[in-house]
Amino acid sequence: MEVLLHQIDAFADAPFSGNPAAVMPLPTWLPDALLQQLAEENNLAETAFYTSELPPDAGAPPGEWPAFHLRWFTPAVEVDMCGHATLAAATQIIEDVHPEHDRVSFYTRSGWLHVDRTDDDEYVLDLPALASVQVEPDPALIAALGIDPVCAHTGQDEVIVVATEAEVRDATPEFGAFPVLRRGVILTAPGTATDIVSRFFAPGIGVPEDPVTGSAHAQLIPLWCRDLGRTTLSARQLSRRGGTLRAELTDDRVLLLGRCRRYLDGVVTLPD
């Protein structure tokens, strides 16, 4: 059996920037163990698998545009939400399969997610806004990050706020010292060239540092919109590759806008 493999950089300002995701369309679902092996072999932060077969609990598709069932795997586990691989999957579908459409929807563990292509060939990802609760910083996590926190929040991920962009950029976490986390930790601060900056670390699920994390911004944008009194923000993730997003908070949704760049198209031959 042969399966297509596309590697697409999401939230990419230029070649070799943004967050690379593997996108693998499937005619039908393969065994979960094989999906996990493929994700481990791809060795990217996320591999997105999709099929046109919607599960019974998805209900009717949300519109007349294309709709798919989408799942995401890190090299270690299946996850509940991934922004950049969703953007990459939508790019591949709109460019290769349904160029007549500018919207695609995905049924996922996080419900229905939508991606729209703009007239300028950018992509807008629609994610649920994720809540956070302010907490006392975890001393073990602060020590592992090696930073001086301003405040901390918890939700899908731990959020640690520091005072300056330089502190985010210069942090050198000791991943072996991380406590057990629900998923990962977002280190964030006000930006200089953008409204906010961040980095994302999730060694417990096989992603020591993610280059650009759409799902983390589903939690980060509501926090900063509240603190800055805004509903639109620019954001920069300060990983080595780096990536820029524009974000808007609308009621209970976060809209993330960015570009995608295709790196490769290939074929994987699966064993019998």
Side-chain angles (χ1 to χ4, degrees):
M1 179 180 177
E2 293 185 338
V3 177
L4 295 177
L5 168 66
H6 310 276
Q7 186 171 321
I8 296 173
D9 297 337
F11 303 115
D13 305 317
F16 311 115
S17 69
N19 200 348
V23 178
M24 302 188 75
L26 301 174
T28 190
W29 285 113
L30 300 172
D32 286 4
L34 179 54
L35 298 179
Q36 189 62 70
Q37 287 176 313
L38 287 166
E40 183 179 7
E41 186 75 13
N42 291 336
N43 198 32
L44 297 172
E46 304 284 352
T47 295
F49 300 98
Y50 72 82
T51 80
S52 58
E53 300 176 355
L54 296 178
D57 59 340
E64 297 300 320
W65 52 88
F68 299 88
H69 185 194
L70 176 67
R71 297 168 67 186
W72 312 282
F73 287 75
T74 77
V77 297
E78 184 175 5
V79 296
D80 292 337
M81 182 189 289
C82 177
H84 83 279
T86 304
L87 208 70
T91 299
Q92 186 268 319
I93 290 168
I94 290 174
E95 290 184 352
D96 297 351
V97 186
H98 289 288
E100 75 279 10
H101 287 280
D102 289 320
R103 165 171 274 213
V104 60
S105 294
F106 298 104
Y107 186 72
T108 74
R109 284 187 173 189
S110 295
W112 282 103
L113 307 181
H114 315 287
V115 178
D116 293 283
R117 176 174 58 182
T118 72
D119 292 339
D120 195 28
D121 284 331
E122 293 183 294
Y123 288 87
V124 183
L125 172 62
D126 180 333
L127 296 175
L130 300 179
S132 300
V133 176
Q134 188 162 352
V135 294
E136 288 297 316
D138 180 346
L141 181 57
I142 297 307
L145 290 169
I147 50 86
D148 182 18
V150 172
C151 63
H153 297 79
T154 189
Q156 171 182 262
D157 296 305
E158 308 307 310
V159 179
I160 307 297
V161 181
V162 293
T164 67
E165 178 174 315
E167 291 173 83
V168 176
R169 179 182 291 107
D170 297 341
T172 55
E174 296 183 24
F175 296 123
F178 268 43
V180 176
L181 301 174
R182 182 180 295 110
R183 193 180 78 145
V185 57
I186 309 164
L187 185 62
T188 185
T192 53
T194 57
D195 293 315
I196 63 170
V197 296
S198 66
R199 290 171 69 188
F200 180 78
F201 311 105
I205 61 169
V207 186
E209 180 168 6
D210 198 33
V212 192
T213 316
S215 59
H217 285 81
Q219 182 177 350
L220 201 56
I221 294 303
L223 279 174
W224 279 112
C225 282
R226 182 198 66 193
D227 289 351
L228 297 176
R230 307 257 302 277
T231 58
T232 60
L233 297 174
S234 60
R236 178 77 181 170
Q237 198 152 325
L238 299 178
S239 63
R240 183 180 59 82
R241 290 174 63 94
T244 301
L245 312 84
R246 300 199 304 279
E248 180 179 357
L249 181 64
T250 61
D251 298 324
D252 60 349
R253 309 295 292 185
V254 171
L255 305 180
L256 301 176
L257 190 148
R259 295 191 179 275
C260 289
R261 291 177 178 268
R262 190 177 300 229
Y263 176 67
L264 65 81
D265 299 296
V267 177
V268 174
T269 303
L270 299 179
D272 294 333

